[in-house]
Amino acid sequence: KNQVEQSPQSLIILEGKNCTLQCNYTVSPFSNLRWYKQDTGRGPVSLTIMTFSENTKSNGRYTATLDADTKQSSLHITASQLSDSASYICVVSANYGGSQGNLIFGKGTKLSVKP
Amino acid sequence: DVKVTQSSRYLVKRTGEKVFLECVQDMDHENMFWYRQDPGLGLRLIYFSYDVKMKEKGDIPEGYSVSREKKERFSLILESASTNQTSMYLCASSDRAFGNTIYFGEGSWLTVV
């Protein structure tokens, strides 16, 4: 069964600190992996998209890594800010011939950054 | 700037009412989606559409229908709202190129009483 597991479920860090969020998946055939940021009460916003041939991608203070062999991805946030407080969702696409309906969503990690 | 607009942010409806949730995108995207998001369950796909008048069932289509008469507009219909449909509903769109960005609306919070 295609699944995406994220850890931890929630995380509290102090402003200025770094953190790493994890995503493990069992999706086959794998096509790409996305990270989204969702502020409370808002829609998700894309941070990164990676295909199996990419092992790292950055977007400002956000850096995503992908290990297609172990089926693991991480999202590293550097020098956290209060505005980083949000849920971070890992989404994996299964390649079933082009249909965009084959997205498998993780349940998200809720990050709280405290002053 | 890309935009997916959901017409209602907050709705309160009575059990048995017919509910329409409207979504409009201004990016000329072929694909449009409706998800619901519940605490602890993440996003679940209700329906998606890859072209005008075309639709496919997602993971949880029961109790819902959709309409896509124009490329930019995708409507979610609850024929007879029930309390277990109280949720946040998210519309999204993307172009047909596989692996591209999916853009989400701000969400519609529906409470059925």
Side-chain angles (χ1 to χ4, degrees):
Chain A
K1 182 183 175 185
N2 289 330
Q3 281 189 313
V4 175
E5 301 283 345
Q6 290 188 244
S7 62
Q9 278 190 312
S10 62
L11 182 62
I12 300 173
I13 62 172
L14 292 176
E15 187 179 12
K17 297 296 186 184
N18 303 334
C19 68
T20 301
L21 313 180
Q22 299 290 344
C23 174
N24 295 341
Y25 61 92
T26 54
V27 175
S28 183
F30 172 84
S31 178
N32 58 66
L33 185 146
R34 312 159 194 249
W35 282 95
Y36 279 84
K37 178 188 179 190
Q38 185 176 23
D39 293 319
T40 301
R42 309 291 293 273
V45 174
S46 179
L47 294 175
T48 62
I49 301 174
M50 290 184 291
T51 63
F52 70 92
S53 61
E54 297 173 292
N55 55 23
T56 187
K57 186 165 273 190
S58 292
N59 179 354
R61 293 179 298 102
Y62 301 101
T63 299
T65 63
L66 173 64
D67 185 332
D69 291 331
T70 62
K71 299 187 178 182
Q72 295 180 325
S73 176
S74 64
L75 181 69
H76 186 73
I77 304 174
T78 305
S80 62
Q81 299 176 359
L82 298 179
S83 59
D84 292 330
S85 294
S87 288
Y88 292 84
I89 303 171
C90 176
V91 187
V92 180
S93 294
N95 188 357
Y96 292 148
S99 169
Q100 286 270 357
N102 302 310
L103 299 172
I104 298 97
F105 286 80
K107 294 179 183 177
T109 292
K110 185 169 176 128
L111 174 66
S112 298
V113 181
K114 302 294 186 185
Chain B
D1 208 11
V2 299
K3 199 111 171 124
V4 177
T5 303
Q6 295 184 229
S7 57
S8 305
R9 282 284 277 152
Y10 302 96
L11 307 94
V12 179
K13 297 292 182 180
R14 295 195 180 277
T15 300
E17 274 194 79
K18 191 168 186 175
V19 180
F20 292 87
L21 299 180
E22 306 283 347
C23 175
V24 176
Q25 50 96 1
D26 64 0
M27 296 163 280
D28 201 36
H29 283 165
E30 291 86 3
N31 298 327
M32 295 189 76
F33 311 80
W34 275 107
Y35 293 91
R36 67 177 279 178
Q37 186 175 30
D38 301 289
L41 294 179
L43 274 81
R44 293 179 292 168
L45 180 66
I46 304 171
Y47 268 98
F48 101 96
S49 169
Y50 52 91
D51 206 343
V52 175
K53 296 190 187 293
M54 306 305 289
K55 62 186 179 186
E56 282 191 16
K57 292 180 180 179
D59 300 317
I60 51 165
E62 296 78 19
Y64 303 95
S65 62
V66 291
S67 173
R68 189 150 180 219
E69 296 297 318
K70 293 185 177 181
K71 190 176 185 180
E72 68 270 18
R73 188 179 297 269
F74 192 34
S75 302
L76 180 69
I77 303 152
L78 288 67
E79 294 288 343
S80 177
S82 63
T83 54
N84 62 13
Q85 293 178 310
T86 292
S87 186
M88 179 175 182
Y89 291 87
L90 284 162
C91 176
S93 75
S94 70
D95 66 33
R96 191 160 283 161
F98 198 62
N100 58 321
T101 299
I102 296 173
Y103 297 91
F104 285 86
E106 292 288 18
S108 296
W109 291 89
L110 172 66
T111 301
V112 183
V113 298

